[in-house]
Structures are given as C-alpha cells and as structure tokens.
Amino acid sequence: MKKIVVVGAVGGGATVAGQIRFYDKDAKITVFDRDSTMSYAACGTPYVIGGVIEDTESLLMADPEQFKEKRNIDVWLEHEVMEINRAEKSVLVKNLKTGECFHEPYDFLILSPGGSAMVPALDGLASTDHFVLRSFGDMERIMSYIEQTQPSSCAVSGAGFIGIEMAENLKNLGLHVQMVHKSSHVMSILDPDISNQVLAELKSNGVVVHTNSVITKADQKELLLSTGQKLHADFLILSTGLKPNTELAEKAGLPIGETGGIITNEFMQTADPSIYALGDASENTDFVTGGAKRVPLASPAHRQAFIAAQHLTGHAIPKTGLLGTSIVKVFALDVAMTGLNERSLIEKGLLYETVLLKGNSNAGYYPDHSEITLKVHFNPETRKILGAQCIGSKGVDKRIDVLATAMYAGLAIEDLQALELCYAPPYSSPKDPINMVGYKAISNQKGTNA
C-alpha cells in the first residue's frame, strides 16, 4: 500500500489527492495545509468582495470531514510542513494550533504549496490599512474591513489579473478607485494596442489609472507616487506579483528553475523521482518554444494534478507544455489570450507575422452583438500559430479557446478558414472571425487585400 503525502490543500493539492484516490482505492493519502480552509475557489474571491457572488460559502468546495467520508483521505488544516527528509522519506509537520511537531513518512510526496503575494518594502506601509488577496482568509479580512469602516476610496497597486478584478469589484461597491501600475500599459501580458482598450474601459467606468508609477511612500491615507503625485485612499490593495512558495523544496535541495519554480519533468516529477510538484510553485515548459514557463493559474494546476496522479498510479501521460491561456472580465469587456505576445516573440528572437481582425462577435443585424478585436501571431515560414489575443463584449472566450485548440493540434493559420464552426445569428456569422483570420492570412500571403 502506497503512503502518499500532499503539501497544500487548495486547487492542485486537493485535486491530485482526489485523482489518486480515484485510480488507487488502497493508497493511504494524507494532506497538510497551513491555512484554515481547503479546496476553495480562489478565482471567485474578488467577486464575493464585490457582491456579485452573494453566498461566500459557495466558494468552499470541500472540507476535511467530506474528504475523509467520501474519499478516505486525511486532511490536516493549520498544519505546516516544515522540512523534507529525502533520505528517510519523511516530512516534519508542525501543528500551528498547538506547536506540536511530528514526522510523517511517505512513499511519494506531492508539493502543491502555491504562491504568496509579494509585498513591497514600502516606507510607511504599516501606517496604512492594506491588504493582499491570496486566500479565503484574505477575502474575509477585506470584506470585514469594508463592512466595519465603510471606506469611500481605495488604491490598487498593480494592474494584472487580480488588480483589474479588484478595481472593478470595488468600483461596483461605489468606492472611488485609483490604480497604480509600474508599466506603461495595464495588463502588461497583453500587446499594447489590446492593453489600450482595457485602459479605456477602466477609465470610462471611473477608475483613475496612474501608469509608469509606483507607490514610494505611505502615510496613513496618503500615498506618494514615484512621479511626485500624492493620492488619497482609505485603504490599499497590493497586487504587485506572486512569489512561488519554494522554500520547502529549496531546503530539501530540489532544483529551482529560471522562472523561480520547482523544476519538473513531463510527469511533474522533481529531481527526486519520489517527489512531485505542481501548481503555482512548479516550473513547466512553454508549448511554443520548449523553454521554461510557469503559469500560476487554476487550469494548469488541475491538469498537472491529473498528470501527477496518472503517473503515480502507473498510467504515464506526459504533459504537452503550457500556453498560458487566460481570460479576465473588465467591466463590459472580456479580454483573453493564449501563447506568446509580441514582447515575448521579440525577446526570444522569433520570426513572426500578425493578422489583426476587427469584426463582430456574431451577425451585425442581430440586436445583441459586440465588436471584437482578434489578433493572431504566426510563424511566416511554418505557418504555425504562436499566440493570440481577443477583446470585446461577447464571444471572446470562444475564439481564444478555438485558437488554443488549433495550437495544440498544430494547425497552420490558413487551416482556420476550413474549421466548421457553429453558426446562428445570435452566436456567430457564416464566416466566423476565426475563419476570417484564416482567409486574411491566405490573402496576405498572396499579396492581395483581405
């Protein structure tokens, strides 16, 4: 009987434990997490804060009692794994309530420790009410603060995924929201022309955005920017990046990669074949380039959990690399992406061309349609798709999902014109925007107008 220990009980950890039990009915599975909640939908926390999701408990997918009863898996919350003894194949665990420490043996160890919000060393930060959003407890603290103090304004530092979602949800609560972002473009993962549309949407909804700026000093409700400008904010949300929790792996001598994650092979094994790593703290490979890539999102973590569980139970299914497919809601707009952006293509010295299509999400004569911008990068020699972005109010996810599938399938950009996609006026056009990208690529190759 295998003895399996899992570190981390949120998305990746809880999923891999459940997957292993599905394929191995006899293994002894024990999960440790230093938090007080497990298996919660972290991606939903901004929307609970904003009141879009009214039932806070709906984010809790399971608890230790359910895991024990339904899956015969032992989950110990508020228990932190302090050390890994690879020679003895055991972990040192600390009960955070009592301070008691004990050793837990394992045959296989799975690390899913997640990541921690990066908090800048900001002068005067302690004098300012400030929060990060990385856990269920963080969400509860923000909600409690808003309920008790009834603030009228907030500053959000960082305009990435969480920063954008928090800005929208705090604005929906009626707060005056200002964003501070060190780059010249919000959502720096996007190409500048797509990012500019996100910026315009933020501004049109009353969010004040300060780009090319960082907060250099905090003095209670006054924030000083690197530009010399001063902002007033009742509280501050820090969304300036994520640091993978690799300390445990580092102390155990497991190699850390160039992205800061624990290096894994195609089966999510670390340099120690009896130890796997997945989720935010694991380093994987880029589907397009084959280089190192780390994608701290829920979907890759769930896929990695499946791969690790399959391999551990004798069914080897190698991972195929990461595209970083993702989407975010920005008030009335949706923006999604997959693969490489222009900056990455240039930095890696890759040859590329771009098809830019502006059209409608569905039939223009149908009352409910949206203008969308679809941007697709491809290799002009191999014709393989390298990356794509899409923005609009409808049908954005559909287009990027099709393109991500096309990339995994190895389709050439011209092949997009041949895809038989569903059509009715409320949903698309006889020639979907995806088809039109393929037609346009053919026209451009022939030197004619699309």
Side-chain angles (χ1 to χ4, degrees):
M1 181 177 68
K2 298 188 188 79
K3 175 70 172 69
I4 299 163
V5 171
V6 181
V7 179
V10 189
T15 301
V16 75
Q19 288 276 310
I20 293 169
R21 173 59 73 227
F22 183 81
Y23 296 107
D24 187 336
K25 305 302 182 185
D26 300 319
K28 178 173 174 51
I29 307 170
T30 305
V31 183
F32 296 105
D33 197 296
R34 61 189 179 188
D35 208 345
S36 59
T37 53
M38 67 167 293
S39 190
Y40 63 91
C43 298
T45 54
Y47 301 99
V48 173
I49 293 170
V52 177
I53 299 173
E54 296 180 357
D55 182 8
T56 304
E57 299 299 312
S58 68
L59 297 191
L60 300 174
M61 303 292 105
D63 58 38
E65 290 74 22
Q66 291 172 327
F67 252 55
K68 183 63 177 178
E69 180 182 346
K70 295 182 179 180
R71 296 182 172 90
N72 191 26
I73 296 173
D74 294 312
V75 179
W76 299 96
L77 299 179
E78 297 180 277
H79 281 68
E80 183 172 7
V81 175
M82 309 299 291
E83 293 179 6
I84 302 170
N85 188 322
R86 291 168 55 188
E88 294 182 2
K89 299 188 78 170
S90 69
V91 293
L92 176 65
V93 185
K94 181 178 182 179
N95 183 326
L96 298 180
K97 285 184 176 180
T98 67
E100 174 195 3
C101 292
F102 59 92
H103 292 276
E104 184 78 12
Y106 66 83
D107 295 314
F108 295 96
L109 175 65
I110 302 175
L111 303 177
S112 183
S116 299
M118 296 174 64
V119 178
L122 185 60
D123 185 20
L125 183 60
S127 71
T128 300
D129 292 327
H130 63 280
F131 304 90
V132 297
L133 183 57
R134 278 298 302 167
S135 69
F136 194 86
D138 290 338
M139 177 195 74
E140 291 181 311
R141 282 185 284 275
I142 294 171
M143 293 176 66
S144 177
Y145 174 85
I146 292 174
E147 182 180 351
Q148 291 176 14
T149 66
Q150 296 292 305
S152 61
S153 63
C154 174
V156 178
S157 179
F161 285 94
I162 294 176
I164 293 284
E165 290 172 343
M166 283 302 298
E168 176 180 346
N169 280 283
L170 292 170
K171 190 67 183 176
N172 287 342
L173 291 178
L175 275 66
H176 174 61
V177 178
Q178 299 190 76
M179 296 195 77
V180 181
H181 190 57
K182 66 179 180 180
S183 172
S184 58
H185 294 90
V186 299
M187 290 201 70
S188 305
I189 194 172
L190 299 171
D191 292 344
D193 53 339
I194 305 297
S195 171
N196 287 339
Q197 294 187 54
V198 175
L199 178 61
E201 182 69 8
L202 290 167
K203 289 182 175 179
S204 69
N205 283 276
V207 177
V208 180
V209 183
H210 305 272
T211 53
N212 291 312
S213 301
V214 294
I215 300 171
T216 58
K217 184 177 181 180
D219 184 5
Q220 298 184 53
K221 296 185 179 184
E222 189 173 89
L223 305 174
L224 178 65
L225 304 188
S226 55
T227 58
Q229 189 173 358
K230 292 182 179 179
L231 308 183
H232 175 89
D234 291 332
F235 69 103
L236 173 63
I237 297 289
L238 294 167
S239 177
T240 53
L242 177 74
K243 181 184 183 301
N245 294 329
T246 58
E247 297 84 358
L248 188 63
E250 290 181 64
K251 286 196 298 182
L254 298 175
I256 306 301
E258 62 185 84
T259 68
I262 307 164
I263 295 176
T264 61
N265 66 9
E266 67 271 33
F267 302 113
M268 305 311 302
Q269 288 173 299
T270 67
D272 184 328
S274 64
I275 302 178
Y276 296 74
L278 51 91
D280 296 356
S282 69
E283 179 174 284
N284 299 257
T285 55
D286 187 290
F287 181 84
V288 177
T289 68
K293 193 180 187 76
R294 189 173 60 83
V295 179
L297 296 173
S299 294
H302 281 256
R303 171 65 180 168
Q304 292 157 12
F306 170 77
I307 292 169
Q310 286 282 313
H311 187 260
L312 198 150
T313 56
H315 308 90
I317 301 176
K319 64 186 177 188
T320 51
L322 294 172
L323 288 173
T325 307
S326 50
I327 189 168
V328 65
K329 178 181 179 297
V330 190
F331 292 99
L333 290 181
D334 303 320
V335 57
M337 64 221 73
T338 190
L340 303 180
N341 58 22
E342 283 180 334
R343 185 181 68 255
S344 296
L345 291 166
I346 293 169
E347 288 176 352
K348 296 178 188 301
L350 298 178
L351 190 65
Y352 76 98
E353 291 181 5
T354 303
V355 172
L356 181 65
L357 179 75
K358 296 188 177 183
N360 291 325
S361 58
N362 52 296
Y365 56 79
Y366 190 80
D368 180 19
H369 72 274
S370 164
E371 292 184 359
I372 64 171
T373 300
L374 184 56
K375 190 174 185 181
V376 183
H377 305 302
F378 65 98
N379 184 310
E381 295 179 348
T382 66
R383 315 301 289 177
K384 295 295 179 66
I385 302 166
L386 302 173
Q389 298 173 27
C390 187
I391 189 168
S393 297
K394 185 181 179 184
V396 167
D397 53 342
K398 168 183 176 177
R399 273 73 193 201
I400 290 297
D401 284 346
V402 170
L403 287 166
T405 303
M407 292 178 72
Y408 271 114
L411 300 185
I413 191 165
E414 290 84 2
D415 293 331
L416 299 179
Q417 54 79 25
L419 297 180
E420 187 177 342
L421 304 174
C422 60
Y423 160 66
Y427 305 104
S428 183
S429 299
K431 286 186 287 192
D432 189 86
I434 292 289
N435 300 133
M436 291 303 300
V437 167
Y439 286 124
K440 195 167 184 177
I442 292 173
S443 298
N444 290 352
Q445 189 178 25
K446 292 180 179 179
T448 61
N449 292 325

